[in-house]
Amino acid sequence: MKLERPDKIAICFVDGDKKRTEDQINQLSGVENIFNVEWIKRYEIFSGPYISFSQIINECVINSESEFMVFINPKTIVSAEDISTIINDLCNGFAFSSICSFGFWGVTKELFRQVGMMDERFIGGEYEDNDFALRIKQLDVAVNWRFILSKYPWSPYTKKPAIKHITKTLFRMKWHIFNDLHYRT
């Protein structure tokens, strides 16, 4: 279903570091000529550690006044053109649009109303995106899933936190995999 182009959008930065967030805002030069932007900067809300990525996303959704939302990971290289691409996808019937998977993505709040908020039980930054993506798939809605590698200059962790991968058990309890298909338990 096509949606009207929004007057206002929320751009949510999930990083707690002011400098990295401000660097990304500078990369988005010109976006305010295209959209009325509600800037949601995590460092202004709480710069300390969150127990889960889901908690950060959910707080943005709850606190935003905008129906259209774009989420930006600190590792992502962003541009005003990318924001327009995501919003155009959402206006043209996609329920989820990404430039770099869950590193740079957008939805409307309607998707959260249908699929639910992100599951905050997934701690340590693992599996919450897989869970959310599977719940979106169950809705049978259009998704424009991109991972433009040049926009996400990833490098492996040199020091893994002890909490990393702890939620794999929760994911396996929540989702049963049979013949490469996921079923909600």
Side-chain angles (χ1 to χ4, degrees), residues 122 127 131 166-177 182-185:
F122 291 101
Y127 292 96
D131 173 69
I166 200 166
T167 56
K168 188 174 192 175
T169 302
L170 173 62
F171 184 81
R172 288 187 174 162
M173 287 172 43
K174 191 172 182 178
W175 295 97
H176 178 72
I177 304 170
H182 289 76
Y183 298 93
R184 184 86 182 259
T185 57

Side-chain angles (χ1 to χ4, degrees), residues 9 11 13 24-25 27-37 39 79-84 87:
I9 66 169
I11 299 178
F13 298 89
Q24 286 182 312
I25 289 171
Q27 291 173 31
L28 293 173
S29 176
V31 75
E32 290 177 304
N33 298 331
I34 305 167
F35 300 102
N36 177 11
V37 178
W39 300 102
S79 72
E81 182 180 288
D82 295 328
I83 300 289
S84 286
I87 298 302

Side-chain angles (χ1 to χ4, degrees), residues 3 9 11 13 25 36 47 66 76-77 80 99 104 110-111 113 126 136 141 147-148 151-152 163 166 171 173-175:
L3 301 174
I9 66 169
I11 299 178
F13 298 89
I25 289 171
N36 177 11
S47 61
S66 303
T76 311
I77 298 168
I99 300 297
F104 186 7
E110 181 59 28
L111 181 65
R113 286 189 280 274
E126 294 289 322
I136 292 170
V141 294
F147 196 107
I148 302 171
K151 295 277 186 177
Y152 196 82
I163 201 167
I166 200 166
F171 184 81
M173 287 172 43
K174 191 172 182 178
W175 295 97

Side-chain angles (χ1 to χ4, degrees), residues 43-134:
Y43 75 84
E44 289 181 344
I45 300 165
F46 178 66
S47 61
Y50 278 77
I51 197 156
S52 74
F53 174 72
S54 299
Q55 188 179 25
I56 297 168
I57 299 303
N58 292 344
E59 282 185 10
C60 289
V61 173
I62 291 165
N63 293 313
S64 170
E65 298 172 5
S66 303
E67 182 67 20
F68 285 71
M69 304 192 72
V70 176
F71 300 91
I72 300 174
N73 177 294
K75 300 174 192 168
T76 311
I77 298 168
V78 297
S79 72
E81 182 180 288
D82 295 328
I83 300 289
S84 286
T85 297
I86 289 171
I87 298 302
N88 288 340
D89 282 350
L90 297 176
C91 288
N92 285 305
F94 288 97
F96 178 98
S97 174
S98 69
I99 300 297
C100 299
S101 182
F102 279 91
F104 186 7
W105 54 287
V107 297
T108 65
K109 284 188 177 180
E110 181 59 28
L111 181 65
F112 287 101
R113 286 189 280 274
Q114 290 181 25
V115 79
M117 301 297 268
M118 293 190 83
D119 189 337
E120 293 183 17
R121 295 177 297 169
F122 291 101
I123 58 175
E126 294 289 322
Y127 292 96
E128 68 281 322
D129 46 358
N130 303 67
D131 173 69
F132 194 68
L134 286 168

